[in-house]
Amino acid sequence: GSLVRTFTPFYFLVEPTDVLSVRGASVIMNCSAYCETSPKIEWKKDGTFLNLVSDDRRQLLPDGSLLINSVVHSKHNKPDEGYYQCVATVESLGTIVSRTAKLTVAGK
């Protein structure tokens, strides 16, 4: 018997879009991926995975979106501004990476 691999649909329902925010506001970077097996969603900022476990301001929402509470932005500290990507993984299938969305924080 040969093993027949059927095509398993695995794709983004929603990808993040560029966001313009102001300091102190809350921002949601939208992301949602579809697969029969629930994908594990992670986020990258500027190419590096975010560790959301120990992060008190950023959290992963149930649908896979990223919530950033009270955006931090000062002349020398811009931890939230940058390029974000949503990464969805299904163990038996692989990983898909969303488009890159830019978070810009407006000055006064």
Side-chain angles (χ1 to χ4, degrees), residues 9-101:
F10 178 27
Y11 53 87
F12 284 107
L13 296 165
V14 180
E15 293 190 60
T17 53
D18 293 352
V19 175
L20 175 63
S21 179
V22 292
R23 194 174 70 196
S26 291
V27 169
I28 291 183
M29 303 295 269
N30 291 307
C31 179
S32 182
Y34 171 82
C35 189
E36 289 157 10
T37 323
S38 279
K40 177 184 165 210
I41 303 282
E42 294 175 289
W43 280 86
K44 280 182 165 183
K45 177 182 177 283
D46 300 329
T48 306
F49 280 106
L50 291 172
N51 177 4
L52 299 172
V53 177
S54 61
D55 198 319
D56 54 351
R57 284 191 316 104
R58 297 185 189 125
Q59 69 187 78
L60 189 63
L61 299 177
D63 69 347
S65 297
L66 178 70
L67 170 65
I68 304 171
N69 283 307
S70 63
V71 166
V72 172
H73 194 78
S74 63
K75 196 171 183 182
H76 301 293
N77 187 27
K78 301 174 183 179
D80 296 325
E81 198 167 64
Y83 294 92
Y84 289 81
Q85 281 176 304
C86 176
V87 181
T89 305
V90 174
E91 258 181 38
S92 56
L93 279 179
T95 300
I96 54 176
V97 181
S98 75
R99 68 180 292 277
T100 302

